[in-house]
Tab-separated table of all heavy atoms in Angstrom:
chain	number	residue	atom	x	y	z
A	43	GLU	N	-0.991	9.177	-11.865
A	43	GLU	CA	-0.101	8.310	-12.566
A	43	GLU	C	-0.788	6.878	-12.655
A	43	GLU	O	-0.626	6.231	-13.676
A	43	GLU	CB	1.240	8.232	-11.921
A	43	GLU	CG	2.189	7.125	-12.373
A	43	GLU	CD	2.842	7.527	-13.667
A	43	GLU	OE1	2.667	8.632	-14.090
A	43	GLU	OE2	3.588	6.624	-14.169
A	44	ALA	N	-1.337	6.445	-11.550
A	44	ALA	CA	-1.978	5.154	-11.558
A	44	ALA	C	-3.089	5.153	-12.604
A	44	ALA	O	-3.321	4.031	-13.238
A	44	ALA	CB	-2.518	4.863	-10.171
A	45	GLY	N	-3.812	6.216	-12.687
A	45	GLY	CA	-4.887	6.264	-13.670
A	45	GLY	C	-4.376	6.177	-15.092
A	45	GLY	O	-5.021	5.454	-15.925
A	46	THR	N	-3.288	6.802	-15.455
A	46	THR	CA	-2.775	6.674	-16.816
A	46	THR	C	-2.200	5.340	-17.146
A	46	THR	O	-2.336	4.813	-18.217
A	46	THR	CB	-1.669	7.755	-17.033
A	46	THR	OG1	-0.454	7.482	-16.145
A	46	THR	CG2	-2.069	9.203	-16.815
A	47	VAL	N	-1.622	4.649	-16.026
A	47	VAL	CA	-1.123	3.368	-16.314
A	47	VAL	C	-2.270	2.418	-16.620
A	47	VAL	O	-2.224	1.557	-17.487
A	47	VAL	CB	-0.351	2.860	-15.040
A	47	VAL	CG1	-0.128	1.352	-15.112
A	47	VAL	CG2	0.957	3.593	-14.865
A	48	THR	N	-3.361	2.542	-15.870
A	48	THR	CA	-4.528	1.691	-16.008
A	48	THR	C	-5.141	1.880	-17.390
A	48	THR	O	-5.484	0.952	-18.121
A	48	THR	CB	-5.609	1.984	-14.847
A	48	THR	OG1	-5.041	1.629	-13.623
A	48	THR	CG2	-6.837	1.107	-15.121
A	49	LYS	N	-5.320	3.156	-17.735
A	49	LYS	CA	-5.963	3.437	-19.094
A	49	LYS	C	-5.034	2.949	-20.193
A	49	LYS	O	-5.516	2.427	-21.272
A	49	LYS	CB	-6.119	4.966	-19.271
A	49	LYS	CG	-6.682	5.384	-20.649
A	49	LYS	CD	-8.031	4.814	-20.819
A	49	LYS	CE	-8.782	5.353	-21.968
A	49	LYS	NZ	-8.055	5.032	-23.331
A	50	CYS	N	-3.672	3.027	-19.997
A	50	CYS	CA	-2.762	2.580	-21.016
A	50	CYS	C	-2.869	1.050	-21.174
A	50	CYS	O	-2.913	0.493	-22.260
A	50	CYS	CB	-1.435	2.906	-20.613
A	50	CYS	SG	-0.005	2.328	-21.690
A	51	ARG	N	-2.965	0.341	-19.997
A	51	ARG	CA	-3.111	-1.186	-20.098
A	51	ARG	C	-4.462	-1.510	-20.815
A	51	ARG	O	-4.522	-2.485	-21.561
A	51	ARG	CB	-3.109	-1.722	-18.697
A	51	ARG	CG	-1.720	-1.698	-18.113
A	51	ARG	CD	-1.593	-2.402	-16.829
A	51	ARG	NE	-1.783	-3.953	-17.009
A	51	ARG	CZ	-1.385	-4.889	-16.138
A	51	ARG	NH1	-0.702	-4.539	-15.114
A	51	ARG	NH2	-1.585	-6.105	-16.419
A	52	ASP	N	-5.426	-0.713	-20.511
A	52	ASP	CA	-6.763	-0.941	-21.260
A	52	ASP	C	-6.534	-0.741	-22.804
A	52	ASP	O	-7.161	-1.565	-23.537
A	52	ASP	CB	-7.861	0.019	-20.787
A	52	ASP	CG	-8.328	-0.253	-19.364
A	52	ASP	OD1	-8.019	-1.435	-18.920
A	52	ASP	OD2	-8.834	0.537	-18.661
A	53	ASN	N	-5.761	0.204	-23.178
A	53	ASN	CA	-5.550	0.470	-24.661
A	53	ASN	C	-4.834	-0.783	-25.214
A	53	ASN	O	-5.226	-1.217	-26.256
A	53	ASN	CB	-4.661	1.695	-24.839
A	53	ASN	CG	-5.476	2.968	-24.668
A	53	ASN	OD1	-6.663	3.061	-24.545
A	53	ASN	ND2	-4.668	4.075	-24.560
A	54	LEU	N	-3.830	-1.156	-24.497
A	54	LEU	CA	-3.013	-2.334	-25.028
A	54	LEU	C	-3.940	-3.573	-25.093
A	54	LEU	O	-3.753	-4.376	-26.006
A	54	LEU	CB	-1.709	-2.555	-24.218
A	54	LEU	CG	-0.583	-1.398	-24.442
A	54	LEU	CD1	0.387	-1.585	-23.352
A	54	LEU	CD2	-0.027	-1.573	-25.773
A	55	HIS	N	-4.736	-3.706	-24.132
A	55	HIS	CA	-5.608	-4.936	-24.110
A	55	HIS	C	-6.529	-4.829	-25.286
A	55	HIS	O	-6.709	-5.886	-25.977
A	55	HIS	CB	-6.393	-4.988	-22.855
A	55	HIS	CG	-7.476	-6.005	-22.820
A	55	HIS	ND1	-7.125	-7.316	-22.610
A	55	HIS	CD2	-8.862	-5.904	-22.852
A	55	HIS	CE1	-8.338	-8.079	-22.680
A	55	HIS	NE2	-9.310	-7.161	-22.773
A	56	GLN	N	-7.028	-3.687	-25.669
A	56	GLN	CA	-7.934	-3.547	-26.790
A	56	GLN	C	-7.187	-3.832	-28.038
A	56	GLN	O	-7.711	-4.487	-28.920
A	56	GLN	CB	-8.606	-2.210	-26.813
A	56	GLN	CG	-9.674	-1.953	-27.931
A	56	GLN	CD	-10.370	-0.712	-27.854
A	56	GLN	OE1	-10.263	0.003	-26.818
A	56	GLN	NE2	-11.055	-0.365	-28.933
A	57	ILE	N	-5.948	-3.278	-28.153
A	57	ILE	CA	-5.111	-3.450	-29.382
A	57	ILE	C	-4.946	-4.955	-29.514
A	57	ILE	O	-5.052	-5.548	-30.637
A	57	ILE	CB	-3.797	-2.725	-29.197
A	57	ILE	CG1	-4.064	-1.271	-29.383
A	57	ILE	CG2	-2.819	-3.192	-30.272
A	57	ILE	CD1	-2.818	-0.356	-29.153
A	58	GLY	N	-4.597	-5.689	-28.471
A	58	GLY	CA	-4.327	-7.098	-28.549
A	58	GLY	C	-5.547	-7.901	-28.980
A	58	GLY	O	-5.498	-8.792	-29.747
Side-chain angles (χ1 to χ4, degrees):
E43 175 74 4
T46 63
V47 169
T48 299
K49 179 61 171 65
C50 176
R51 287 188 69 157
D52 288 344
N53 285 351
L54 286 169
H55 173 70
Q56 185 174 348
I57 288 171

